Amino acid sequence: RIYPLMRVTLTTSDGASVTVSRQLTKHSGFIEKAITDMAVDDNAVPLSAVAVDVDDATLKLVIEWLTEHRDDALPYPEKTDEERRADDIPAWDQAFVQKWDTKEDQQQTLYAVITAADKLDIKGLLDMTCKTLANKINGKTVEEMREILQLECDFTEEELAEIRKENAWCEN
Amino acid sequence: SLLFLFNPIPRMDIFSLPDVFHRKLMKTMEIKDRLTLRLTCRALEKLVADTHAGEFGGGAILLNYPAFKGGPKSIEFLIDEVKFKKIELSDDRLEEFIKFRRRLFNGVTFWKMHASYFGYVIPLEFVRQLTDKFTVKYLRIPINEEAGIETALQLMSIFPDSKYMLDLGVALNLTKLMALPSTYKLFFYGYTEEKMQIPADVFCRLIATHEHLTILHRCVIVSRDDFKRIVQVSLNDISRY
């Protein structure tokens, strides 16, 4: 049972600390496990701080997302192989990610949030960021994909020709 | 410091992201995107080969028999609307295609796979290799000749965990009809040697064996006791789900 008023302090990798409601942290498998491992009475207030390997700026974004999704059902529904849709990102989440477009290094922010979602075990956020990146590269050309993913082509011309020849197995 | 000024912001690359994310991302890619990703760089080409393609609504393996004689001459393979070139059944071409398929994904799930063939012989080993690491939830096989039942059983043996949907349009005696393995859906529109009627015992057995049963152009004549039995079998069946 989660008590809405119960709060937990998180310390970030760059030394900041932030106190948030357990209503938010209940969506993080990592934080919930850390609290469980403390073996404290659920009524104990305040709880000891939980150290998270996420920097302050990224954690603020994560908390913003968690605040919007605080009432999402738990446990998060296990997605199996059929989850290949990427066009069902909620409007709020789309706007949330769009905001990063104004930042200098949007890709870096997205990657930082993805890494944080994985470290904190927030499945819904990981799914959403995955779909966001998928939507960026779906249907793009090779050059566009390289640009979006910031990749250098390290193939020789012969290797590229060989892959193109193999790809020709696909008619459309 | 000057050193700081000349150091660019550390660039995060996609390969620094967690494996769980890579696997998840690759499951959302369409086949066409996987083909394109293969051309971007070595590391992504490898990621494409090493990841599961996710689940697709439908797939098909079509064995083509020109003139309906002898073994199949070629095989067609489809993933949703993506069609692959006909695979001529010569050793070199088979090997080439299998090699390509293994570089395109290391597994795939189909909600429904349609396997169609005309004739008795299928290149079983090739189909086995082609569909290695495939998960097929529903395998649908049309059977148009009695001998095709054996072929269907062979195909079913490749996918032991699938649910089967058999479209049976062949003349079949009742013993053979009853001997069919359990299916999710049996659609029987062929003839039986016993003319139009299916005995109540056989009908009872069939509804106990197949989750969904459709029989066209036949009739079942039942007594009151037969009817009770049929209802009982159906109720027992329902209680399983």
Side-chain angles (χ1 to χ4, degrees), chain B:
Chain B
S1 70
L2 278 176
L3 184 64
F4 175 78
L5 289 174
F6 286 111
N7 270 341
I9 297 167
R11 201 174 74 172
M12 290 184 75
D13 69 74
I14 187 166
F15 302 106
S16 67
L17 297 176
D19 282 349
V20 62
F21 181 81
H22 291 150
R23 290 196 299 275
K24 201 180 265 291
L25 179 70
M26 295 310 291
K27 281 185 177 180
T28 65
M29 294 289 112
E30 296 300 330
I31 293 297
K32 187 173 172 292
D33 295 316
R34 295 182 84 88
L35 295 170
T36 311
L37 283 167
R38 296 188 72 215
L39 290 158
T40 55
C41 66
R42 287 173 206 271
L44 263 186
E45 194 275 336
K46 186 173 184 311
L47 183 66
V48 168
D50 292 345
T51 49
H52 194 280
E55 178 170 318
F56 291 85
I61 297 174
L62 314 171
L63 307 179
N64 299 312
Y65 290 76
F68 306 100
K69 279 186 180 176
K73 301 297 181 201
S74 64
I75 291 183
E76 283 177 82
F77 174 51
L78 290 95
I79 299 179
D80 277 351
E81 310 86 47
V82 176
K83 191 175 172 186
F84 295 86
K85 278 184 182 162
K86 275 186 188 171
I87 310 158
E88 301 301 323
L89 292 186
S90 67
D91 289 346
D92 288 353
R93 296 297 280 166
L94 287 180
E95 208 170 291
E96 253 180 61
F97 186 78
I98 295 287
K99 185 183 159 212
F100 164 66
R101 208 280 288 153
R102 286 182 179 150
R103 298 306 297 172
L104 194 54
F105 47 74
N106 76 355
V108 62
T109 299
F110 292 102
W111 190 82
K112 185 153 85 176
M113 167 77 84
H114 183 95
S116 112
Y117 61 93
F118 301 94
Y120 310 158
V121 183
I122 58 166
L124 202 60
E125 189 47 38
F126 172 69
V127 175
R128 206 181 290 279
Q129 283 185 48
L130 173 69
T131 59
D132 181 37
K133 307 280 175 61
F134 281 26
T135 301
V136 174
K137 292 188 176 171
Y138 295 90
L139 178 66
R140 183 177 179 187
I141 308 173
I143 301 173
N144 301 308
E145 296 171 273
E146 191 178 330
I149 290 174
E150 185 55 37
T151 312
L153 294 176
Q154 288 178 334
L155 284 168
M156 288 157 75
S157 73
I158 298 176
F159 303 101
D161 299 325
S162 302
K163 289 190 167 190
Y164 309 114
M165 302 162 90
L166 299 183
D167 295 347
L168 208 54
V170 298
L172 211 59
N173 70 39
L174 293 176
T175 310
K176 286 185 175 168
L177 188 61
M178 283 198 296
L180 289 172
S182 174
T183 67
Y184 172 74
K185 195 178 274 187
L186 178 67
F187 178 42
F188 179 62
Y189 59 99
Y191 299 94
T192 58
E193 290 168 358
E194 291 79 1
K195 300 180 184 168
M196 297 295 288
Q197 191 182 333
I198 290 183
D201 278 352
V202 174
F203 185 70
C204 244
R205 177 82 169 267
L206 290 174
I207 59 171
T209 308
H210 307 282
E211 280 185 48
H212 299 268
L213 178 68
T214 305
I215 299 177
L216 284 188
H217 312 309
R218 306 294 101 183
C219 69
V220 184
I221 298 173
V222 292
S223 66
R224 192 189 324 175
D225 285 345
D226 290 333
F227 186 71
K228 281 181 188 169
R229 263 195 310 140
I230 289 166
V231 170
Q232 193 56 52
V233 168
S234 303
L235 287 173
N236 289 343
D237 204 39
I238 288 166
S239 68
R240 284 194 296 156
Y241 302 104

